[in-house]
Amino acid sequence: GGDGATFDIGIGLLSGMWERGKDILYICYDTEAYSNTGIQASGATPWAASTTTTPAGAGPTIDAIGSHQRKKDMIAIALAHGLKYVAQTTAGFPADITAKIKKALTFPGPKYIQILTPCVPGWKIETSMAVRMGKLAAQTGLYPIIEYENGKLTNALKIPNPYPKVEEYLKPQGRFAHLFKSDKGREQIEYIQKLADENIKKYGL
């Protein structure tokens, strides 16, 4: 399912499936918006991203900075249901996706894998940039590549030292272009960097 079906409109059904212990591997293709219906914001939309329902303002006097909501932590929600296998990765690492799917299928009961999948029109990027965006999302700490087995963090992909700052990830994406046009936007970039730094500390990246 996509992030809209997973984080929002389908979360009750997903929770029920997890509670019943069905032997199902659920994979979320996280494009961080409702990509099929017009690029509306979802519970997966990151802070300050401009979407059709959270549009950014046209200048420094406009308060609209894009999304004012922090991305919902579906990994934590899956872990709270007691799933034996929970993982997160990105389209920037195809071999990692394959490895995680193969491992997930060795566990009984429900499993959850979340994959950041850049949406070319929604992120306003060139098709050739998708894999790079997937890599930078992980390497900046914004979207850690992690793996939980039986409720414990067993693997986390270390980031480069020094690691790329979030600005390098945000700047190529049209959905964040407004952040580079005003002091208010710069404040949001600093906040997003703080979110990435929190992940780096939390997962020991």
Coordinates of all heavy atoms in Angstrom, one line a residue, residues 26 98 126 188 200:
Y26 N 3.4 -6.9 5.1 CA 2.8 -5.6 4.6 C 4.0 -4.7 4.2 O 4.8 -4.4 5.1 CB 1.9 -5.0 5.6 CG 1.1 -3.8 5.0 CD1 -0.1 -3.9 4.5 CD2 1.7 -2.5 5.0 CE1 -0.8 -2.8 4.0 CE2 1.1 -1.4 4.4 CZ -0.2 -1.6 4.0 OH -0.9 -0.5 3.4
T98 N 15.7 -6.0 -1.1 CA 15.6 -7.4 -1.4 C 16.0 -8.2 -0.1 O 15.3 -9.2 0.2 CB 16.6 -7.8 -2.5 OG1 16.2 -7.1 -3.7 CG2 16.5 -9.3 -2.8
E126 N 13.7 15.4 -11.2 CA 13.9 14.6 -12.5 C 13.9 13.1 -12.2 O 14.4 12.7 -11.1 CB 15.2 15.0 -13.1 CG 15.3 16.5 -13.6 CD 14.4 16.8 -14.7 OE1 14.0 15.9 -15.5 OE2 13.9 18.0 -14.7
Q188 N 13.0 26.9 8.9 CA 12.5 25.5 8.8 C 13.5 24.5 8.4 O 13.5 23.4 8.9 CB 11.4 25.5 7.7 CG 10.3 26.6 7.8 CD 9.8 26.8 9.2 OE1 9.5 25.8 9.9 NE2 9.7 28.1 9.7
I200 N 19.8 10.6 14.2 CA 21.2 10.1 14.2 C 21.5 9.7 15.6 O 22.2 8.7 15.9 CB 22.1 11.2 13.7 CG1 21.9 11.4 12.2 CG2 23.6 10.9 14.0 CD1 22.6 12.7 11.7

